[in-house]
């Protein structure tokens, strides 16, 4: 290693540092002055290289003669070294890195994942930059301001940057090697998982509701399938509204004795059952195909429901408040402090609700509503059954 440089991230109240995107652009400018290497590796602070030939694997895509000129990023999956057997909080994000990203790789590639990728400097700058001398003023004119690199439009700087590169015709390649190239530390508590998903949801939804909406801005600049892939992620937080309805309306109908679902004798029941079973079967087949288990499938369904009615809902609420000017953008960093007691509970598969009670308000309300409605439903069913028995007698 010929030169090692440490750059500290300065934070001042009267100067916006632009969160992670600002730090990445600082490193790009510094590395550009030092070496101006054409390819750069980006890793989060809690990740490390697990395979010394990861750079060689990335170069296989960059140096391939037929399609190399269109490749801007080579993305590796995020794989974590501290995942338990049950993975009760779905910390490994299996559906993203083993299903969604692989599917998007058949188009222009998946979105950036924030870490574990090699970037082509030319793609970020928009032009080929050659360092000719060490004159700092000339280099400053050459490299220009920070808006030539990672974009500041959203907290999800990886999503908006990758999306804009897709719009400009660049491809992103997804490389999933048999040996994990990079390993990181996953969240092992419900609170950290919720904070992480709120931050992601806010950043993605802000892009979806802006002038860079994938369904509008991207539809004329990329294929419709690629546009739909980006839109699915951008508007994913909207899952909260149908899930909240699903967790509330049937229970209220049961409590008031209102028939909501089609009867077994109805022709509509076959359609309803087919759609419901097919969705669950598709998810189960994906989990089993990835050497998962029924327990993992159940855990993923449970945490998906919890995230939908809490993290996704608060993300929508946060973006709405920012749009009407009631709240400024805030970057909530996931805790990096290891709680040994929490780690032990996570390894044993003990689901813990410790953390910010703000997340539990909706969950407790939904659980209470389900218990009361189920009890009332059983009471009405037993009384109706008793009345039928008495009538027969």
């Amino acid at each position: 290693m010929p030169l090692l440089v440490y750059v500290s991230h300065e934070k001042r109240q009267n100067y916006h540092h632009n969160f992670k995107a600002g730090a990445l652009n600082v490193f790009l400018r510094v590395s550009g002055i030092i070496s101006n290497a054409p390819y750069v590796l980006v890793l989060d602070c809690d990740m490390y290289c697990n395979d010394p030939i990861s750079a060689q694997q990335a170069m296989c895509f960059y140096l391939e003669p037929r399609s190399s000129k269109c490749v801007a990023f080579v993305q590796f999956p995020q794989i974590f070294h501290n995942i338990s057997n049950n993975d009760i909080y779905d910390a490994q994000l299996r559906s993203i890195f083993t299903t969604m990203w692989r599917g998007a790789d058949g188009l222009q590639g998946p979105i950036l994942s924030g870490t574990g990728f090699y970037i082509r400097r030319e793609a970020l700058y928009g032009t080929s930059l050659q360092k000719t001398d060490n004159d700092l003023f000339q280099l400053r004119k050459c490299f220009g301001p920070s808006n030539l690199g990672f974009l500041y439009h959203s907290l999800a700087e990886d999503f908006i940057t990758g999306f804009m590169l897709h719009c400009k015709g660049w491809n992103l390649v997804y490389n999933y090697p048999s040996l994990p190239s990079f390993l990181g530390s996953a969240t092992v508590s419900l609170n950290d998982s919720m904070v992480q998903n709120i931050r992601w949801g806010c950043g993605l939804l802000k892009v979806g509701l802006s002038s860079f909406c994938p369904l509008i801005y991207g539809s004329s600049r990329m294929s419709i399938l690629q546009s739909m892939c980006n839109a699915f992620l951008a508007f994913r937080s909207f899952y909260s509204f149908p899930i909240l309805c699903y967790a509330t309306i049937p229970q209220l109908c049961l409590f008031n004795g209102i028939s909501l679902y089609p009867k077994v004798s109805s022709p509509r029941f076959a359609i309803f059952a087919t759609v419901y079973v097919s969705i669950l079967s598709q998810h189960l087949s994906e989990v089993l195909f990835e050497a998962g288990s029924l327990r993992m499938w159940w855990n993923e369904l449970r945490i998906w429901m919890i995230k939908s009615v809490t993290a996704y809902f608060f993300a929508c609420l946060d973006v709405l408040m920012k749009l009407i000017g009631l709240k400024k953008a805030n970057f909530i960093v996931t805790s990096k402090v290891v709680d040994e007691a929490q780690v032990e509970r996570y390894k044993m598969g003990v689901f813990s609700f410790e953390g910010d009670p703000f997340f539990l308000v909706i969950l407790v309300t939904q659980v209470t509503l389900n218990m009361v409605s189920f009890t009332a439903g059983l009471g009405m069913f037993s009384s109706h059954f008793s009345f039928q028995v008495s009538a027969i007698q």
Side-chain angles (χ1 to χ4, degrees):
M1 184 178 293
L3 187 63
L4 177 64
V5 177
Y6 174 79
V7 179
S8 177
H9 196 173
E10 182 182 9
K11 296 182 180 179
R12 289 180 289 175
Q13 293 183 353
N14 58 347
Y15 182 80
H16 205 300
H17 52 77
N18 293 300
F19 311 120
K20 182 178 178 180
L24 287 171
N25 285 333
V26 169
F27 285 122
L28 285 173
R29 293 197 299 273
V30 171
S31 64
I33 294 176
I34 294 175
S35 66
N36 199 28
Y39 306 101
V40 181
L41 170 64
V42 176
L43 287 178
D44 278 348
C45 63
D46 56 352
M47 296 196 74
Y48 63 91
C49 184
N50 185 58
D51 188 358
I53 66 169
S54 62
Q56 181 181 353
Q57 294 176 359
M59 290 304 105
C60 291
F61 296 100
Y62 283 124
L63 302 179
E64 202 277 328
R66 291 173 297 178
S67 60
S68 61
K69 294 183 179 180
C70 298
V71 176
F73 291 76
V74 176
Q75 176 71 62
F76 289 77
Q78 291 190 36
I79 300 179
F80 309 97
H81 62 82
N82 59 335
I83 299 295
S84 67
N85 293 330
N86 293 326
D87 191 20
I88 54 178
Y89 305 119
D90 190 24
Q92 63 180 333
L93 304 174
R94 183 207 56 81
S95 61
I96 293 179
F97 295 113
T98 63
T99 304
M100 296 182 188
W101 268 216
R102 282 177 171 172
D105 193 41
L107 302 170
Q108 284 182 258
I111 68 167
L112 290 180
S113 303
T115 179
F117 58 86
Y118 288 88
I119 66 175
R120 185 195 296 266
R121 190 185 295 269
E122 179 183 350
L124 286 177
Y125 289 163
T127 182
S128 180
L129 299 177
Q130 299 295 330
K131 191 176 74 170
T132 57
D133 52 46
N134 291 324
D135 188 340
L136 296 182
F137 293 100
Q138 293 296 326
L139 289 172
R140 184 176 182 180
K141 293 181 180 180
C142 179
F143 285 101
S146 297
N147 56 14
L148 292 171
F150 286 87
L151 302 181
Y152 297 155
H153 182 76
S154 166
L155 292 177
E157 77 293 328
D158 46 5
F159 175 76
I160 182 63
T161 302
F163 171 67
M164 293 304 296
L165 288 173
H166 281 152
C167 292
K168 295 177 182 179
W170 289 96
N171 293 334
L172 279 69
V173 175
Y174 187 51
N175 183 35
Y176 201 113
S178 56
L179 176 66
S181 297
F182 307 101
L183 290 176
S185 299
T187 56
V188 295
S189 69
L190 180 63
N191 186 74
D192 288 345
S193 179
M194 294 300 104
V195 169
Q196 191 178 61
N197 279 271
I198 289 177
R199 185 176 71 248
W200 292 342
C202 289
L204 294 171
L205 186 57
K206 184 179 179 182
V207 177
L209 298 178
S210 69
S211 58
F212 300 107
C213 174
L215 291 178
I216 301 176
Y217 186 87
S219 59
S220 61
R221 295 170 173 84
M222 62 181 67
S223 67
I224 185 62
L225 291 178
Q226 185 69 43
S227 178
M228 291 175 64
C229 287
N230 284 275
F232 172 79
L233 294 168
F235 296 109
R236 195 178 186 186
S237 294
F238 283 159
Y239 263 128
S240 59
F241 298 108
I243 296 301
L244 281 171
C245 292
Y246 179 72
T248 304
I249 295 177
Q251 289 77 5
L252 293 177
C253 291
L254 178 62
F255 184 81
N256 292 279
I258 301 175
S259 178
L260 181 63
Y261 299 106
K263 296 181 179 180
V264 177
S265 58
S266 173
R268 295 183 299 154
F269 179 80
I271 301 176
F272 174 81
T274 301
V275 173
Y276 189 80
V277 173
S278 63
I279 294 175
L280 295 179
S281 301
Q282 177 187 356
H283 183 203
L284 178 60
S285 63
E286 292 175 357
V287 173
L288 297 179
F289 179 78
E290 296 295 333
S293 61
L294 289 175
R295 180 67 179 273
M296 180 183 295
W297 172 72
W298 176 259
N299 288 336
E300 287 190 7
L301 284 176
R302 177 175 59 180
I303 198 63
W304 178 71
M305 291 287 292
I306 293 176
K307 289 178 181 178
S308 297
V309 300
T310 54
Y312 293 166
F313 175 75
F314 291 129
C316 293
L317 186 63
D318 187 80
V319 171
L320 177 62
M321 293 176 63
K322 291 173 185 175
L323 289 177
I324 62 179
L326 295 180
K327 185 178 180 181
K328 295 182 179 180
N330 183 27
F331 186 78
I332 306 174
V333 180
T334 307
S335 175
K336 305 296 190 236
V337 179
V338 178
D339 185 349
E340 296 298 336
Q342 181 63 52
V343 172
E344 291 300 321
R345 287 194 293 268
Y346 171 73
K347 291 181 179 179
M348 293 186 296
V350 178
F351 203 97
S352 175
F353 291 93
E354 292 183 0
D356 194 339
F358 188 64
F359 295 134
L360 302 181
V361 174
I362 297 180
L363 289 179
V364 172
T365 303
Q366 294 294 339
V367 169
T368 304
L369 176 62
N370 274 264
M371 293 176 62
V372 172
S373 300
F374 184 72
T375 303
L378 285 179
M380 288 186 292
F381 174 78
S382 60
S383 61
H384 180 71
F385 180 75
S386 301
F387 175 77
Q388 287 185 338
V389 172
S390 301
I392 292 175
Q393 291 177 351

